[in-house]
């Protein structure tokens, strides 16, 4: 039976980003679509004992990107802006395996800006010219900029590299930064430790794939992830254990705020969405100019 299934290798970094992937695998939704999906674990910043390769300054030296460049996986998902950066730079720069944006979705990762109550910071405006701990060119970085640009001028927003999620919390408690950007389950870890959520938002994922992964196979993957998203939204408590495990004993299931677990079915990445997101990243100097919808996006799953 297994020999008849189409083999795909998909990267998994952090549970909040990749929950539909994990659930689709464990619940047999991929198999129902005729797929044998190997989940290649490439730890990001969310595991308690994350490898710092996941945080290297050059994004193509990081764990997932390096393995993708080497051909160890065919498909991955990140925050929308992170996928944009990697897809654009693999297109306009030589020496990297091409990655195209192939869908919007399926997870909606929660990010929050967190402060220490002892700092007496009560509103976003108080973060003017103060260091906020993130990991560069990841969801925590991009979402912080998105959250704060409605309250501060761009030049007043000061992000700084502060390590993994666990390390950011420690840096915040030591007073080395005024705030940190965290995703679940680390928002709940921070709340359990008495830290304050200043503001939060859901951050849309994008899906990326190599040119070798054909459209019909991608469509089957997305159908399985959509089924997983529906299952998670119906009973998030059933799948919350994936997030608790990532915190490595720093969180109990009852401490996790289940309403932060939100997922949506993958859908086509539109030209309007590309133009908006790409121009925003170019405006911040986060990606090089010169990319187009035609050379960066491929909705082959819906062809």
């Amino acid at each position: 039976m297994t020999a008849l299934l189409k083999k795909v290798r998909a990267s998994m970094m952090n549970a909040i980003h990749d929950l539909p992937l994990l659930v689709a695998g464990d619940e047999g939704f991929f198999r129902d679509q005729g797929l044998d999906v190997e989940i290649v674990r490439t730890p990001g910043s969310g595991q308690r004992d994350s490898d710092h390769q996941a945080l290297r300054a050059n994004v193509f030296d990081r764990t997932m990107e390096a393995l993708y460049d080497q051909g160890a996986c065919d498909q991955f998902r990140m925050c929308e802006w992170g996928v944009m950066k990697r897809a654009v730079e693999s297109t306009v720069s030589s020496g990297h395996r091409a990655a195209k944006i192939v869908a919007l979705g399926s997870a909606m990762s929660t990010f929050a800006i967190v402060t220490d109550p002892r700092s007496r910071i009560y509103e976003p405006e108080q973060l003017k010219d103060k260091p906020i701990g993130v990991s560069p060119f990841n969801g925590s970085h991009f979402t912080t900029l998105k959250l704060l640009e409605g309250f501060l001028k761009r030049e007043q927003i000061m992000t700084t590299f502060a390590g993994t999620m666990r390390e950011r919390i420690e840096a915040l408690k030591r007073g080395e930064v005024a705030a940190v950007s965290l995703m679940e389950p680390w928002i709940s870890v921070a709340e359990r430790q008495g830290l304050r959520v200043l503001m939060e938002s859901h951050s849309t994922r994008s899906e990326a794939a190599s040119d070798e992964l054909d459209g019909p196979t991608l469509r089957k993957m997305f159908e399985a992830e959509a089924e997983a998203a529906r299952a998670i939204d119906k009973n998030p408590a059933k799948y919350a254990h994936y997030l608790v495990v990532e915190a490595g004993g720093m969180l109990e299931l009852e401490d996790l705020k289940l309403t932060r677990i939100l997922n949506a079915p993958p859908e086509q990445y539109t030209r309007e969405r590309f133009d908006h997101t790409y121009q925003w990243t170019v405006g911040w100097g986060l990606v090089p100019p010169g990319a187009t919808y035609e050379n960066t996006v491929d909705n082959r799953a819906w062809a």
Side-chain angles (χ1 to χ4, degrees):
M1 178 69 180
T2 302
L4 301 177
L5 300 177
K6 172 81 178 211
K7 182 78 173 180
V8 180
R9 295 166 301 175
S11 168
M12 178 267 167
M13 291 196 301
N14 300 300
I16 194 66
H17 303 337
D18 298 293
L19 197 54
L21 182 78
L22 294 170
V23 171
D26 288 350
E27 295 286 14
F29 298 147
F30 286 131
R31 185 170 292 274
D32 293 344
Q33 292 287 335
L35 302 176
D36 176 17
V37 176
E38 176 189 354
I39 298 177
V40 181
R41 295 186 179 267
T42 56
S45 62
Q47 288 74 34
R48 181 174 178 175
D49 299 315
S50 292
D51 184 337
H52 270 264
Q53 183 180 346
L55 300 170
R56 288 184 179 175
N58 182 341
V59 295
F60 292 103
D61 289 337
R62 297 178 183 181
T63 313
M64 190 286 294
E65 290 89 335
L67 288 173
Y68 177 81
D69 258 2
Q70 296 162 14
C73 62
D74 308 300
Q75 202 271 329
F76 62 90
R77 68 216 43 75
M78 292 179 169
C79 72
E80 182 181 4
W81 313 287
V83 167
M84 179 69 73
K85 179 176 178 64
R86 287 146 178 85
V88 166
E89 293 195 7
S90 73
T91 298
V92 302
S93 303
S94 61
H96 298 294
R97 184 186 184 195
K100 295 289 180 64
I101 301 172
V102 292
L104 183 69
S106 57
M108 300 283 290
S109 305
T110 303
F111 278 91
I113 296 176
V114 175
T115 63
D116 189 326
R118 294 174 298 178
S119 68
R120 302 186 63 164
I121 293 174
Y122 304 103
E123 58 181 354
E125 289 86 348
Q126 289 179 271
L127 292 176
K128 175 184 175 182
D129 299 325
K130 293 182 178 178
I132 303 162
V134 304
S135 58
F137 307 123
N138 281 342
S140 63
H141 182 192
F142 300 120
T143 308
T144 295
L145 301 179
K146 278 282 189 177
L147 283 169
L148 287 179
E149 66 182 355
F151 295 88
L152 300 171
K153 295 178 181 179
R154 287 192 170 191
E155 62 269 21
Q156 296 170 339
I157 302 172
M158 183 188 302
T159 59
T160 184
F161 176 52
T164 65
M165 297 285 162
R166 176 180 58 81
E167 290 169 337
R168 283 174 229 174
I169 290 175
E170 294 170 354
L172 178 64
K173 292 194 293 187
R174 290 193 300 266
E176 296 172 1
V177 290
V180 293
S181 180
L182 302 172
M183 64 190 179
E184 283 288 39
W186 297 94
I187 305 170
S188 293
V189 169
E191 289 181 314
R192 186 184 189 191
Q193 295 183 12
L195 301 174
R196 172 183 294 147
V197 172
L198 192 66
M199 58 194 307
E200 63 183 272
S201 173
H202 283 101
S203 160
T204 308
R205 304 292 92 193
S206 285
E207 304 262 354
S210 66
D211 291 337
E212 295 83 3
L213 195 53
D214 64 90
T217 299
L218 276 171
R219 184 58 183 263
K220 290 177 181 179
M221 289 187 69
F222 296 155
E223 291 289 349
E225 289 178 32
E227 184 67 22
R230 289 188 287 270
I232 297 164
D233 287 343
K234 183 177 180 179
N235 187 8
K238 180 179 179 181
Y239 305 105
H241 63 89
Y242 293 99
L243 279 73
V244 174
V245 167
E246 245 176 27
M250 298 181 70
L251 187 72
E252 299 297 332
L253 183 59
E254 57 267 24
D255 298 316
L256 193 66
K257 190 173 180 180
L258 296 179
T259 54
R260 290 195 178 113
I261 301 175
L262 180 64
N263 297 275
E267 59 185 49
Q268 295 186 53
Y269 201 85
T270 65
R271 183 181 297 273
E272 180 183 9
R273 186 89 186 198
F274 172 83
D275 290 341
H276 177 82
T277 302
Y278 181 54
Q279 292 307 318
W280 181 83
T281 52
V282 169
W284 273 99
L286 301 169
V287 296
T292 66
Y293 181 77
E294 284 74 19
N295 65 21
T296 308
V297 179
D298 188 343
N299 288 306
R300 71 188 84 135
W302 288 272

